[in-house]
Amino acid sequence: MKRIPLLLALICAITVTAQEKLQDSILTYKKRVLESTEVDFLMSYYTQDGNNAAVTGGIGTEELTDITPTIVVSIPLNDDDVLTIDAGISAYTSASSSNVNPFDGDGPADPFVASSGASGKDVLATFSGTYSHSSEDRDDIWSANISLANEYDYFSVGFGGSYTKLFNEKNTEVSVNANVFLDTWNAIYPSELRDNPDFVPHSDESRNSYSVGFGFSQILTKKLQASLALDVIQQEGLLSTPFQRVQFADVADVVVQQFTYGDDIERLPDSRFKTAIGGRLHYYINEIFVVRTFYRYYTDDWGINSHTASIEIPIKITDRFTLYPSYRYYTQTAADYFAPFNQHLSTQEFYTSDYDLSDFDANQYGFGVSYTDIFANFHIWKFGLKTIDLRFNQYERSTGLSASIISGGFNFVMD
């Protein structure tokens, strides 16, 4: 009987110790930022056509197709850190850029007909890596990134980072990010200008871009969320495209076959300052409908001012399927240095006939569908299929450019 108090004391001690350990484990438990490795397989097919190719001075075919397969792998390094690797290629064929040398085809040179030259196709390879760290309470997130891009006449390296702070019970979020891109051209010039003794090639083929962005997001009610973003970009160096032609109104045209020689290449200032400010407003109507709206104003010191407005209305038709109808409107003023084919003067310092820098309006209509299985029942090896996304967008510009893009993505999560 004397042993009973001792036994009871021992049991109490064990119980208290177990309870303390349980409480400690509860207090120290935290949800991982990313539970397991995720892999995204992305693919897009883009096609366009128009009659204002900058390669041939603002007239000619703009026909282009592009296929872009990409893989994105997100790896949780521990509870707080995630490494994301993004690698892809962009393989395109371009009727307009083939006319960098319009005389290497089988038929007569014509700005509205593609030449068969090597410049008519290329592959852009891209790679980026991002490391992100979240604090214990998940209220602070730091990230750093590096990127590389390369194609036959262009190489780019970039790096940057960001910081995000959540507070007010995670209802408020502020962020800042900064990035630097250091680019180098391997300038390719129009064929008729390469042997012209009066032609002056670029002496500096580098381009540097520096950007800073600020973000603010606020959950206003249970159904309404708003965000604001400000981006500032400074670019320096070779900001024109070396193989884009310009014809002068005060210089006699030289026409060979059906092709008008360029009097010079596009020449633009060696600096550009850009500013964009925008906002988003998301409203949850009910379990079926959500409204997502966006607006952005852009301006730069080349004279371009633009407005972008878009709306998307996700429609949840079942627990697994959601539809995404969308519409986007865009309008911009022309750059100070833009003029159409054969309307520039040789006395001007800067000039371009690139219709991307012209005055135009554009409409984009889109539709998408997504499939989500939170249990990832379908498996390929050790990965379960979590989501499938398919999108189609049709783009129409007032200058006559028309483009279509089909994109899709498969998200897999490791068991």
Side-chain angles (χ1 to χ4, degrees):
M1 294 294 292
K2 292 181 179 180
R3 295 180 180 178
I4 293 178
L6 180 61
L7 182 60
L8 289 175
L10 180 60
I11 293 173
C12 290
I14 293 174
T15 302
V16 171
T17 302
Q19 288 177 339
E20 289 176 347
K21 288 183 177 180
L22 178 60
Q23 290 174 352
D24 289 343
S25 67
I26 292 173
L27 291 173
T28 57
Y29 172 78
K30 59 182 177 183
K31 182 178 177 62
R32 293 168 64 91
V33 175
L34 185 66
E35 292 296 332
S36 58
T37 298
E38 294 191 5
V39 179
D40 290 284
F41 295 98
L42 311 174
M43 175 71 78
S44 67
Y45 174 76
Y46 173 86
T47 180
Q48 72 170 43
D49 202 0
N51 297 311
N52 300 115
V55 175
T56 45
I59 62 170
T61 178
E62 295 178 88
E63 185 180 358
L64 179 147
T65 60
D66 181 83
I67 299 176
T68 308
T70 304
I71 182 170
V72 181
V73 182
S74 300
I75 306 168
L77 304 178
N78 51 49
D79 288 351
D80 306 322
D81 303 319
V82 176
L83 175 65
T84 301
I85 298 172
D86 184 329
I89 60 173
S90 176
Y92 74 84
T93 59
S94 171
S96 62
S97 65
S98 74
N99 281 318
V100 171
N101 183 357
F103 304 101
D104 58 2
D106 297 329
D110 187 329
F112 292 94
V113 177
S115 172
S116 58
S119 57
K121 57 184 177 180
D122 189 26
V123 175
L124 169 67
T126 61
F127 172 87
S128 66
T130 302
Y131 169 82
S132 65
H133 170 79
S134 298
S135 62
E136 293 282 338
D137 58 9
R138 303 294 185 256
D139 285 342
D140 300 271
I141 304 169
W142 297 266
S143 74
N145 66 80
I146 186 170
S147 63
L148 298 170
N150 183 69
E151 57 181 320
Y152 81 106
D153 63 341
Y154 183 80
F155 177 77
S156 174
V157 59
F159 55 90
S162 68
Y163 170 69
T164 301
K165 175 68 176 179
L166 291 86
F167 53 95
N168 187 25
E169 296 182 348
K170 294 183 171 56
N171 289 319
T172 306
E173 176 182 312
V174 293
S175 63
V176 59
N177 65 81
N179 291 279
V180 175
F181 295 95
L182 307 176
D183 309 335
T184 303
W185 289 92
N186 178 20
I188 306 297
Y189 298 108
S191 58
E192 70 272 21
L193 297 176
R194 298 171 194 170
D195 298 324
N196 185 337
D198 297 325
F199 173 66
V200 180
H202 293 292
S203 58
D204 183 2
E205 297 183 350
S206 65
R207 176 177 65 189
N208 300 333
S209 302
Y210 312 93
S211 67
V212 178
F214 303 91
F216 173 81
S217 177
Q218 177 65 50
I219 297 176
L220 301 173
T221 69
K222 292 181 178 180
K223 294 187 175 184
L224 186 63
Q225 180 181 4
S227 63
L228 296 172
L230 171 66
D231 293 290
V232 178
I233 301 172
Q234 175 67 38
Q235 292 184 295
E236 299 174 353
L238 178 52
L239 304 184
S240 59
T241 303
F243 52 76
Q244 295 188 165
R245 293 175 173 86
V246 169
Q247 288 84 4
F248 296 133
D250 57 344
V251 174
D253 290 342
V254 176
V255 181
V256 177
Q257 297 173 12
Q258 300 175 46
F259 193 90
T260 303
Y261 275 8
D263 295 315
D264 197 5
I265 57 172
E266 171 186 81
R267 297 192 186 271
L268 294 168
D270 60 4
S271 68
R272 189 179 187 183
F273 183 74
K274 307 177 182 180
T275 304
I277 183 169
R280 297 180 183 275
L281 200 62
H282 294 177
Y283 183 71
Y284 174 86
I285 299 176
N286 52 40
E287 293 182 354
I288 299 176
F289 298 99
V290 176
V291 177
R292 299 173 179 170
T293 61
F294 170 76
Y295 170 79
R296 182 184 65 186
Y297 172 73
Y298 166 91
T299 184
D300 64 31
D301 57 1
W302 285 9
I304 293 180
N305 298 289
S306 73
H307 301 270
T308 305
S310 68
I311 183 170
E312 182 181 67
I313 305 177
I315 305 171
K316 194 173 183 65
I317 56 176
T318 71
D319 290 341
R320 297 191 176 187
F321 287 94
T322 304
L323 304 180
Y324 292 90
S326 64
Y327 171 73
R328 177 181 180 270
Y329 175 76
Y330 177 84
T331 182
Q332 76 171 38
T333 59
D336 298 334
Y337 319 111
F338 172 81
F341 175 78
N342 225 358
Q343 293 189 24
H344 282 292
L345 299 177
S346 60
T347 55
Q348 294 175 305
E349 181 180 9
F350 303 116
Y351 32 78
T352 178
S353 294
D354 185 347
Y355 272 73
D356 287 345
L357 301 177
S358 70
D359 179 3
F360 68 85
D361 303 326
N363 295 279
Q364 180 173 294
Y365 310 90
F367 185 80
V369 58
S370 72
Y371 167 83
T372 302
D373 180 4
I374 60 173
F375 301 106
N377 291 318
F378 178 78
H379 282 71
I380 296 179
W381 192 48
K382 295 183 179 180
F383 290 88
L385 178 61
K386 188 175 180 181
T387 62
I388 301 175
D389 286 286
L390 297 173
R391 302 283 179 122
F392 173 79
N393 285 281
Q394 181 66 33
Y395 176 85
E396 301 290 340
R397 186 186 286 186
S398 58
T399 60
L401 178 70
S402 178
S404 302
I405 182 170
I406 301 173
S407 59
F410 298 83
N411 174 257
F412 292 88
V413 57
M414 179 177 283
D415 291 341

